[in-house]
């Protein structure tokens, strides 16, 4: 709870894991409300435990990468994502505008993640409703030039990776707007739109 609420944890509960052992990679925007993310994740974890007879093993950025070495962790992101059985999207109002979030979805899909391995959990928002933009609709409007990061240095590094892979933002935007929207929309059903 402390991690999603933005507080320092009392103790580090991270443990080493083998590739394929982690049940879900948690993809979330740090700008969305921590309390809402915690509640949705707590409910999901309860259902997982009821179904599997054990709590889920999760990959959460704040626990699993050194926050003072984010640049080095960017290079390892494909390994982290491919080592998880599923991608769990905590979808709130800012999710589709955050470059880290879109990059996590892209890498998961590019590394062979199937639509059935993506689960979208909409945050309820203060009014008890769903997030302001559906994931599919948010990705359909995605523009790399408008995507943000908390740290300008993160954005610079990620743009360099995208430029090396795609040449410029036009093909990256097209890929996000078509391939990912289609795959994520299939995975999340009605909650994606």
């Amino acid at each position: 709870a402390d991690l999603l609420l933005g507080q320092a944890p009392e103790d580090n509960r991270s443990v080493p894991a083998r590739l394929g052992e982690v049940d879900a990679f948690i993809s979330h925007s740090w700008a969305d409300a921590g309390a809402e993310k915690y509640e949705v994740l707590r409910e999901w974890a309860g259902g997982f435990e009821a179904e599997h007879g054990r709590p889920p093993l999760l990959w959460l950025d704040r626990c699993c990468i050194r926050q003072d070495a984010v640049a080095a962790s960017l290079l390892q992101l494909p390994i982290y994502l491919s080592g998880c059985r599923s991608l769990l999207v905590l979808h709130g109002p800012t999710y589709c505008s955050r470059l880290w979030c879109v990059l996590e979805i892209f890498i998961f899909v590019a590394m062979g993640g199937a639509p059935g391995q993506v689960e979208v959990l909409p945050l309820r928002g203060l009014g008890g409703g769903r997030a302001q933009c559906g994931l599919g609709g948010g990705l359909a409007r995605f523009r790399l030039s408008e995507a943000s990061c908390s740290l300008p240095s993160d954005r610079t590094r990620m743009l360099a990776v995208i430029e090396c892979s795609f040449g410029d933002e036009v093909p990256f935007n097209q890929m996000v707007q078509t391939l990912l929207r289609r795959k994520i929309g299939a995975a999340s059903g009605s909650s994606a739109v």
Side-chain angles (χ1 to χ4, degrees), residues 32 36 91-96 122-127 129-135 137-138 141 193:
D32 289 333
E36 290 180 53
H91 180 246
T94 69
Y95 187 88
C96 295
L123 301 185
R124 292 179 182 90
L126 297 176
R130 291 181 4 192
Q132 292 173 1
C133 70
L135 185 58
R141 294 184 299 277
V193 188

Side-chain angles (χ1 to χ4, degrees), residues 171-192:
F172 185 77
N173 287 342
Q174 290 171 340
M175 181 276 310
V176 169
Q177 295 164 355
T178 57
L179 174 68
L180 294 180
R181 181 174 40 129
R182 184 171 49 242
K183 285 199 173 203
I184 302 307
S188 60
S190 62
S191 67

Side-chain angles (χ1 to χ4, degrees), residues 155-187:
R155 188 172 196 283
T156 300
R157 282 187 203 93
M158 285 190 275
L159 290 176
V161 169
I162 291 167
E163 184 177 321
C164 287
S165 300
F166 291 89
D168 64 32
E169 77 174 70
V170 173
F172 185 77
N173 287 342
Q174 290 171 340
M175 181 276 310
V176 169
Q177 295 164 355
T178 57
L179 174 68
L180 294 180
R181 181 174 40 129
R182 184 171 49 242
K183 285 199 173 203
I184 302 307

